[in-house]
Amino acid sequence: MGELKLMKGNEAIAEAAIRAGVDAYFGYPITPQSEVIEYLMAEQPEERTGMVVLQAESELAAINMVYGAAAAGKKVFTSSSSPGISLYQEGISYIAGAELPCVIANVVRGGPGLGTIQPSQADYFQSTKGGGHGDYKLYVLAPASVQEMADFIQLGFDIAYKYRNPVMIQSDGMIGQMMEKVELADQRPRWTDEEIKQMHDSWAAFGKGDHRERNIITSLDLDSAKQEKHNHHLQAKYRRMEEEEVLFEEINCEDAEYLIVAYGSSARISMKSIDLARAKGIKAGLFRPITLYPFPMKQLNAYVGKVKGILSVEMSAGQLIEDIKLAVECNVPVKHFGRYGGMIHSPEEVLTALENLIKGE
Amino acid sequence: MTEEIIIAGFGGQGVLSMGKILAYSGIMQNQEVSWMPSYGPEMRGGTANVTVIVSDDRISSPVLNFYDTAIILNQQSMDKFEKTVKPGGLLLYDPNGIIHHPQRKDIKIFKIEAAKLSAEMGNTKIFNMVVLGAYLKLKPIVKLENVIRGLKKSIPERYHKLIPMNESALTKGMENPVEVFLN
């Protein structure tokens, strides 16, 4: 068993990054995510592992530092919160186009605009449908506990390197700020320059030597035929992710007549609502997408014909519900419930919404 | 066993750290814990509260509307949280500064004179440990030895010399909760 600690989600993700052997963190502080960079600055990982931690002059600088370091084959992590992630979008699109691995955490706050500093899930579309320009996808993980905040760092890098694709961890102010028990993984060494050469010689730009042509990191190709070919290649990669990398959890779903579909903190709140519903004799289950992209389409579609209704519980005004409707191809009635703008729904409010769905209201 | 607790008072009373020590104590005996503070505008306005859950099972929602126990340390929190105690639950409060005392007859109500007792002990900073001691007397969900181990984990090593004082504050609290009976 690894080391047990009581940590905030933001601290856990920072410590997990050090232990995953990350080479560099670039970021810019913003509430409710600032504990990530605060923790890293206080821990001074350059003394523990040689990891670089740098507060950039802006979000634009930070994401382009990520782009540069990832291009050199280095393991890079960054984090921000909603308005900051909006500023990242140009860089994220370039990183996806240039097929570079990195992990980005978004500790979502209420919007739009500067919004509020309280928790929200209103960045679902931005994370899953392409926040920047062009046809690209991020692999999007939605942690529902402090433990998952820590675990998804290593998982995120595994996926990022397997597919050479940026990975987004979409958390929120609740998971970021709350403390829970977390079991930390053992320290992994950072890759040596020799290891990076062996593993990433086919694409990374770290100096070519004499043995090969230079690797070019770019998202630009003015030859449209080539650009279309590149797009086909990206799409094939995303289809493979959809086949092989979907993650989800089912709680009390076996005999369920009604499903709540929720992710992240809404899933945690809904777990309680399910218990309250069961105590009242309502056969309710919770289906929790862990990957928001790729969304567990087939897995949710398996409930068509089995459940009478689905409630989409999200701290957003109807974003998750679109993927649910696509998954069940509108063969099951799907309703939305959620508070937003930084308000958190209570387990009882979710239960009332579920009862209204059952009554057909 | 699942115990859902709200601790509420002024910023500076040690509300958040008391919750943290309780959560760490739960970890020391292999329980699941969650600690969810109120933050943001409220943090800047004077009142502070934290929801702590200690359970033998996986914890569902870390934010709640109703609690097994409310530990209430100022009037604003009394106004807000007396009604959130589940029927049959526990309300523990320090009467210092309380004008409107709790009225509910469907819950157990206890007083702990923590402000007074900690002042008598010559250190008002151990106020929150007196309160925690009283709570653990009424609901012994964690063992005292695990609270001490939790304390060691949650405060920096340079303050470990203060642990005996905290321990005597916990003991003082355990000796002094007084049940309130409403007619």
Side-chain angles (χ1 to χ4, degrees):
Chain A
M1 207 171 178
E3 194 181 346
L4 280 182
K5 282 197 160 193
L6 182 71
M7 293 183 114
K8 287 187 176 189
N10 287 337
E11 296 168 343
I13 208 168
E15 177 61 32
I18 301 172
R19 291 181 185 228
V22 165
D23 294 303
Y25 172 92
F26 306 109
Y28 188 82
I30 178 170
T31 308
Q33 166 280 159
S34 296
E35 291 89 353
V36 180
I37 193 165
E38 278 170 19
Y39 184 92
L40 288 171
M41 288 287 180
E43 269 305 302
Q44 298 189 306
E46 66 272 23
E47 286 173 15
R48 278 170 61 180
T49 66
M51 173 182 173
V52 171
V53 180
L54 188 85
Q55 179 176 330
E57 68 268 36
S58 70
E59 282 86 353
L60 298 191
I63 194 64
N64 283 292
M65 288 174 184
V66 171
Y67 188 9
K74 296 288 185 185
K75 218 185 242 187
V76 209
F77 171 53
T78 184
S79 62
S80 188
S81 177
S82 309
I85 296 288
S86 289
L87 290 166
Y88 276 9
Q89 292 305 328
E90 180 196 39
I92 292 174
S93 173
Y94 280 51
I95 291 168
E99 292 197 87
L100 295 176
C102 66
V103 174
I104 303 157
N106 182 2
V107 184
V108 179
R109 61 190 248 179
L114 271 182
T116 169
I117 59 172
Q118 267 82 13
S120 165
Q121 297 181 313
D123 295 357
Y124 183 90
F125 282 156
Q126 189 191 50
S127 298
T128 60
K129 311 291 177 194
H133 57 280
D135 268 322
Y136 74 90
K137 289 286 185 189
L138 303 176
Y139 185 78
V140 185
L141 286 160
S145 63
V146 174
Q147 185 67 54
E148 285 187 344
M149 284 288 263
D151 294 346
F152 287 178
I153 283 282
Q154 185 58 50
L155 174 63
F157 278 108
D158 290 346
I159 296 284
Y161 280 92
K162 182 173 174 186
Y163 292 92
R164 272 177 56 200
N165 202 67
V167 168
M168 175 70 78
I169 298 176
Q170 191 189 315
S171 163
D172 63 60
M174 185 170 130
I175 304 285
Q177 300 282 337
M178 70 190 242
M179 288 205 281
E180 287 187 311
K181 180 166 81 175
V182 56
E183 183 182 350
L184 294 164
D186 294 334
Q187 179 67 52
R188 289 187 185 212
R190 286 173 49 231
W191 289 328
T192 62
D193 288 350
E194 207 45 52
E195 285 170 318
I196 292 173
K197 270 182 196 164
Q198 277 171 16
M199 287 185 290
H200 309 317
D201 194 48
S202 65
W203 58 269
F206 42 70
K208 71 181 179 66
D210 309 324
H211 67 291
R212 61 161 166 83
E213 285 301 301
R214 63 172 69 87
N215 289 330
I216 298 170
I217 306 289
T218 182
S219 62
L220 176 72
D221 201 328
L222 293 175
D223 179 339
S224 292
K226 279 193 191 165
Q227 190 59 262
E228 187 186 42
K229 203 176 154 205
H230 179 58
N231 267 274
H232 279 307
H233 162 73
L234 291 177
Q235 291 303 317
K237 188 164 87 171
Y238 304 145
R239 295 299 89 74
R240 214 165 81 235
M241 280 187 197
E242 287 165 5
E243 279 305 312
E244 295 174 15
E245 310 296 349
V246 170
L247 297 173
F248 62 101
E249 185 186 9
E250 291 154 307
I251 298 173
N252 288 335
C253 288
E254 305 81 28
D255 63 340
E257 292 178 352
Y258 295 91
L259 277 190
I260 290 178
V261 180
Y263 66 93
S265 24
S266 281
R268 288 291 296 274
I269 294 161
S270 301
M271 269 173 75
K272 182 98 185 169
S273 313
I274 296 292
D275 288 345
L276 296 172
R278 291 255 166 190
K280 288 180 127 183
I282 301 166
K283 287 186 177 172
L286 173 66
F287 185 97
R288 172 169 83 98
I290 296 173
T291 50
L292 304 183
Y293 179 83
F295 191 84
M297 291 284 173
K298 281 186 225 161
Q299 294 80 0
L300 190 54
N301 188 268
Y303 286 93
V304 171
K306 289 183 187 161
V307 296
K308 295 178 192 165
I310 294 177
L311 186 66
S312 174
V313 177
E314 45 182 310
M315 288 192 276
S316 47
Q319 301 191 20
L320 171 68
I321 191 172
E322 293 196 2
D323 277 335
I324 299 171
K325 283 186 172 174
L326 283 172
V328 299
E329 296 167 316
C330 296
N331 286 317
V332 181
V334 188
K335 294 269 187 211
H336 164 268
F337 176 74
R339 304 287 302 267
Y340 27 96
M343 294 301 288
I344 307 174
H345 26 249
S346 70
E348 289 80 10
E349 285 175 322
V350 174
L351 175 64
T352 304
L354 183 67
E355 287 173 323
N356 289 340
L357 167 84
I358 295 167
K359 281 188 275 183
E361 283 171 12
Chain B
M1 190 285 293
T2 298
E3 168 79 351
E4 297 171 334
I5 311 152
I6 181 90
I7 310 171
F10 287 120
Q13 278 179 317
V15 165
L16 298 183
S17 60
M18 178 178 159
K20 193 175 166 186
I21 292 160
L22 185 58
Y24 245 125
S25 313
I27 292 180
M28 292 300 122
Q29 48 189 50
N30 287 322
Q31 283 165 310
E32 299 300 319
V33 298
S34 76
W35 176 97
M36 179 74 201
S38 74
Y39 68 103
E42 282 181 61
M43 201 162 99
R44 292 158 182 90
T47 63
N49 69 67
V50 60
T51 302
V52 177
I53 306 173
V54 180
S55 179
D56 296 329
D57 305 309
R58 181 179 177 185
I59 292 169
S60 57
S61 180
V63 290
L64 300 166
N65 273 0
F66 301 100
Y67 308 92
D68 299 308
T69 297
I71 299 174
I72 293 176
L73 304 171
N74 66 7
Q75 186 63 52
Q76 289 97 316
S77 304
M78 186 68 81
D79 298 342
K80 195 168 171 189
F81 293 111
E82 181 187 356
K83 56 183 174 287
T84 65
V85 181
K86 294 178 196 170
L90 170 69
L91 190 160
L92 172 67
Y93 76 108
D94 185 333
N96 181 40
I98 298 288
I99 306 158
H100 307 293
H101 289 257
Q103 297 300 319
R104 282 182 56 185
K105 293 181 179 170
D106 61 337
I107 57 174
K108 283 200 170 297
I109 300 172
F110 280 80
K111 288 195 282 194
I112 176 71
E113 297 265 8
K116 192 170 147 233
L117 290 166
S118 58
E120 282 168 13
M121 290 175 81
N123 188 348
T124 50
K125 285 183 183 163
I126 53 174
F127 165 80
N128 60 347
M129 290 295 100
V130 177
V131 177
L132 183 59
Y135 167 70
L136 291 174
K137 171 72 179 175
L138 302 168
K139 288 217 175 167
I141 56 164
V142 287
K143 290 187 187 146
L144 184 60
E145 66 196 65
N146 288 324
V147 179
I148 303 301
R149 287 170 68 201
L151 258 173
K152 283 184 183 155
K153 278 272 191 180
S154 62
I155 63 179
E157 213 154 292
R158 62 183 184 279
Y159 294 126
H160 279 195
K161 60 178 187 291
L162 300 174
I163 285 175
M165 196 205 302
N166 280 280
E167 196 170 353
S168 50
L170 283 162
T171 312
K172 184 63 91 181
M174 286 181 160
E175 290 163 357
N176 283 289
V178 177
E179 185 156 14
V180 178
F181 295 99
L182 300 172
N183 297 317

